[in-house]
Amino acid sequence: MAPGGLPYFDPEYESLSIRINPPRVNVDNDSCGECTLVKVDSVNKPGILLEVVQILADLDLIITKAYISSDGGWFMDVFHVTDQQGNKITDNLTIEYIEKALGPKGRTADESKTWPAKRVGIHSMGDYTAIELVGRDRPGLLSEISAVIANLKFNFSAAEVWTHNMKIACVVYLNDDSASHAMNDPTRLSVMEEQLKNILRVCGDDDKMGHTNFSMGLTHIDRRLHQMLFAEMDYDVKGLTNEADCVAFLELKISIDRCLEKGYSVVTVRCRDRPKLMFDIVCTLTDMKYVVFHATISSDRPYATQEYYIRHIDGSPVNTDGEEERVTKCIEAAILHRVSEGLSLELCAKDRVGLLSEVTRVLRENGLSVSRAGVTTVGEQAVNIFYVRDASGNPVDMKTIERLRKEIGQSMMLSVKKAPLSLKAPKARTKTSFSFGSLFERFLP
C-alpha cells in the first residue's frame, strides 16, 4: 500500500503494453510498382492516427491510398505514398526517418530540429518568439501587421498565414534583430501587443478586442491554424462570394451515414485531391473529439475519396441532424483552409528586418490581397510564398504581375505559378494571443 492507505499505482504501467509490443514499421518498395507502402502496427492510443499522418505530411509525401483499422486495442495502417513528383520513396535518409519517427522510440529532440516537423513552441524557451494572431481579415492587413513588427526592429524568421471566410489566422516566429534571440524585453513586447491589437480592432467590436494568452505545450503549426480558425467558428457562414468559390464548392461532396449494427457514423468525403488532404480531415475530426476506428483512402486523380468510420470520444456516433451539419461544415472548412485559387508568388531574397513589410506593402499598393502565405528563412536567405487575388477576390490581371516584376525584381527573385482552387466567404471577431517558444527547422516546399 502507498502512504495514506491508498493502493500503489506504478506510473510505468500505462506504457507497459507499448513496451511489451513496440510499434512495428515497415517501409516496403517491393510490393507495389508505383508507390511505397508504409505499414504501421502498434498498440492503439489516442491520437495515433493523426500522429502518423502528420509525420508523412511533414515529409511532403502524397498519400494515394490508405487502409486504417484500430478496433480491439490494436492499430494497423497501410499507406501508399509517393513524393511530390509521383515517384517511390527511395532516399535512405527519408526511409530511416520514417522508421525512427513511427517506430518504438519515436522522434527525439535532436531529430525534431533536423527534420521538417513544423511545430509551434509555446513556452518561454528558445531563440524565437511565437505570436498567434486571429481576427477579421481585410485587404492589406498582413502588410499592416508586418509593418508594426518591422518598426519595432523585430525580424521574421518564419510565418504561416491562412484566411478563410473573411477571417485570418497566423503564427509568426520572430527574433530580436539586435541580439538574434527571443524577445525578452517586456516593455517592447507590450508595445507590440498593443499596436497589433489596435490594427485588428479597426475591424472588430470594442467589446471583443484582442487579448494576450500564454499557454503551454507543443502544437503542430498546421494543426494550430486549424484550431484557431475553428475557435472563431469560420465554418459557420452562409453564402459564397464569387463564381470561382461556387465552382470549388460544387467539387466538394461530404455525406454522413449511420452504421447502426456497428455503432459507427460513416463520413465520406469526395473532392479534388491535393497534398495534406488526409491530414486536414483527420486533424479536424480529432480536435472535434471524434475517434477514427476504420478508414479507406483512395485517389483517382484529380479526385480523392476518403471514408471514415467514427464515434465520438464518449463512444456515441453522430446522432442528430444538427451534429451531422456541424461535422460537415467543419470538414468543409478544414479542406478549404489550405487551398487557394489564383496565383502563387514565390519571392527569394537576402533576409533582413523589414523585408516582409516591404513585400506586403508592394502587394497592397498593387491591389492584391493575400489569401495564404508561408515565410521561411534558411541561413541568410528568405523565401516568401504568397497566394494572391485582387482586392475583390477575383483572379489577378497579368498586367499587375508585370508591375510587380518591375518594382521588386531588382532586389529579389520572383516566381509566378498558377494556384489550385479554393473558397472564401463572410465575417468574424478579433482576437490576439501571444505565445513564446522555439522554432523547429522547416522543410522548404
Side-chain angles (χ1 to χ4, degrees), residues 160-444:
E160 291 283 345
V161 181
W162 290 1
T163 66
H164 182 235
N165 287 340
M166 291 303 293
K167 301 182 184 181
I168 184 171
C170 57
V171 178
V172 178
Y173 293 101
L174 304 175
N175 61 19
D176 188 333
D177 182 59
S178 63
S180 297
H181 57 57
M183 298 177 287
N184 298 317
D185 184 345
T187 301
R188 292 176 70 200
L189 286 172
S190 178
V191 170
M192 179 174 64
E193 176 187 2
E194 188 59 33
Q195 291 187 13
L196 291 174
K197 282 182 181 179
N198 289 336
I199 289 172
L200 293 172
R201 198 178 300 160
V202 170
C203 282
D205 299 328
D206 287 343
D207 61 336
K208 295 179 179 177
M209 63 182 66
H211 66 270
T212 302
N213 177 52
F214 297 88
S215 53
M216 300 297 292
L218 286 174
T219 305
H220 187 278
I221 188 172
D222 292 357
R223 184 178 185 185
R224 186 70 192 120
L225 288 164
H226 279 305
Q227 291 173 341
M228 291 159 69
L229 289 169
F230 175 77
E232 291 301 301
M233 299 177 65
D234 73 306
Y235 56 86
D236 193 19
V237 296
K238 295 180 181 180
L240 302 173
T241 57
N242 57 40
E243 184 177 350
D245 289 350
C246 296
V247 172
F249 186 77
L250 290 172
E251 293 186 316
L252 173 58
K253 304 291 183 182
I254 300 174
S255 64
I256 301 178
D257 299 309
R258 299 174 188 178
C259 183
L260 298 178
E261 64 276 13
K262 296 290 185 180
Y264 298 123
S265 292
V266 185
V267 179
T268 303
V269 180
R270 180 167 175 81
C271 63
R272 186 172 290 274
D273 199 10
R274 63 161 173 79
K276 303 184 182 180
L277 177 63
M278 185 179 182
F279 171 84
D280 293 336
I281 295 173
V282 172
C283 179
T284 299
L285 290 172
T286 302
D287 285 334
M288 294 183 73
K289 308 300 182 185
Y290 290 100
V291 179
V292 176
F293 288 86
H294 303 280
T296 303
I297 313 300
S298 63
S299 176
D300 51 345
R301 292 297 182 94
Y303 294 96
T305 301
Q306 305 197 2
E307 189 175 71
Y308 299 89
Y309 289 73
I310 66 169
R311 294 187 191 127
H312 195 269
I313 199 168
D314 64 8
S316 63
V318 179
N319 284 317
T320 66
D321 292 342
E323 188 180 2
E324 283 188 11
E325 182 180 8
R326 183 169 181 265
V327 171
T328 299
K329 284 184 175 181
C330 290
I331 293 175
E332 285 176 357
I335 292 171
L336 298 169
H337 285 167
R338 199 191 296 271
V339 184
S340 300
E341 187 273 338
L343 290 178
S344 167
L345 307 180
E346 181 174 319
L347 301 101
C348 301
K350 185 175 181 180
D351 188 36
R352 57 181 169 81
V353 172
L355 176 62
L356 184 61
S357 176
E358 177 185 329
V359 171
T360 52
R361 175 186 57 78
V362 172
L363 294 178
R364 183 191 67 201
E365 290 175 351
N366 281 275
L368 298 183
S369 179
V370 177
S371 61
R372 189 158 60 94
V375 176
T376 313
T377 305
V378 180
E380 295 185 349
Q381 191 78 2
V383 179
N384 301 339
I385 300 176
F386 302 96
Y387 296 85
V388 296
R389 297 176 175 180
D390 71 13
S392 302
N394 298 316
V396 179
D397 190 324
M398 292 308 296
K399 292 180 180 178
T400 303
I401 300 300
E402 291 307 314
R403 289 201 303 269
L404 281 178
R405 289 189 189 276
K406 292 178 181 179
E407 279 197 62
I408 62 180
Q410 304 299 320
S411 57
M412 63 187 73
M413 295 175 57
L414 171 63
S415 175
V416 181
K417 299 178 182 178
K418 178 69 177 174
L421 282 175
S422 129
L423 250 189
K424 79 171 188 151
K427 314 205 168 179
R429 300 175 302 170
T430 298
K431 179 171 66 180
T432 310
S433 68
F434 284 67
S435 52
F436 299 84
S438 304
L439 173 67
F440 287 79
E441 216 173 303
R442 288 195 47 201
F443 210 42
L444 284 177

Side-chain angles (χ1 to χ4, degrees), residues 76-93:
M76 294 179 289
D77 275 12
V78 179
F79 297 91
H80 295 235
V81 300
T82 69
D83 63 17
Q84 293 283 324
Q85 289 71 46
N87 302 317
K88 287 187 175 185
I89 312 306
T90 57
D91 178 66
N92 289 332
L93 288 175

